[in-house]
Amino acid sequence: EIVLTQSPDTLSLSPGERATLSCRASQSVSSYLAWYQQRPGQAPRLLIYDASTRATGIPARFSGSGSGTDFTLTVSSLEPEDFAIYYCQQRSNWPLTFGGGTKVEIK
Amino acid sequence: EVQVVESGGGLVQPGGSLRLSCEVSGFTFSDYWMSWVRQAPGKGLEWVASIKPDGSEEYYVDSVKGRFTISRDNAKKSLYLQMNSLRADDTAVYYCVGSSWDCWGQGTLVTVSS
């Protein structure tokens, strides 16, 4: 099983600041990595797939990078609605796995 | 407009069974893998199972193998999860996910408790 480790657990930032979230895989997942956002009480929403491709309707302030074992999700300038929990997911191998999540909270 | 609607959740005793259903509209159901993902209260996301578009392949997380069965009816644009021998640690919101992982339902809560 591929283990995904997300860091940090919590990121405390102010609106307008840049957020940088990390996801590290226990073995290579090539570029088969996705990022999701989950707001309180809502279902997750796909942000990024194939490591760097934005899903339909996702604002350009969200970007993904990386390949192999190290990946990054960047939010260039945080909007109020971006304060949420973010999960990475690998789709390279069965079983599919998610990281433990990073909470982006208002400082 | 895409709609993914789960149903069938509820309270069940340990050892009991439950069948979740998911009805889809707004995308070509028969073209896509479909999956179930769960989230225990206050916890992160856990992939549970996935099924190929034609139903010929199924994959499960180890903790549910032999107890849960994923299936689909392409004519009815519906996905199912038969859950048997339920345990307390199966308590979670269960999400139906489709298309290219960009279509999620709002989830249905399964509570396993005596």
Side-chain angles (χ1 to χ4, degrees), chain A residues 18-94:
Chain A
R18 181 184 190 90
T20 304
L21 288 67
S22 174
C23 177
R24 178 164 289 177
S26 60
Q27 64 188 76
S28 176
V29 299
S30 185
S31 293
Y32 297 113
L33 189 104
W35 290 95
Y36 298 85
Q37 176 194 67
Q38 188 176 33
R39 295 171 178 148
Q42 294 187 16
R45 175 175 72 143
L46 178 67
L47 298 175
I48 301 285
Y49 64 94
D50 292 347
S52 61
T53 304
R54 272 190 305 277
T56 302
I58 301 303
R61 65 181 181 272
F62 291 93
S63 63
S65 64
S67 66
T69 60
D70 289 296
F71 300 87
T72 301
L73 174 70
T74 301
V75 187
S76 59
S77 179
L78 285 165
E79 297 287 339
E81 62 268 26
D82 299 336
F83 291 91
I85 299 175
Y86 293 82
Y87 295 95
C88 58
Q89 178 206 30
Q90 66 82 17
R91 301 181 211 162
S92 173
N93 286 36
W94 304 102

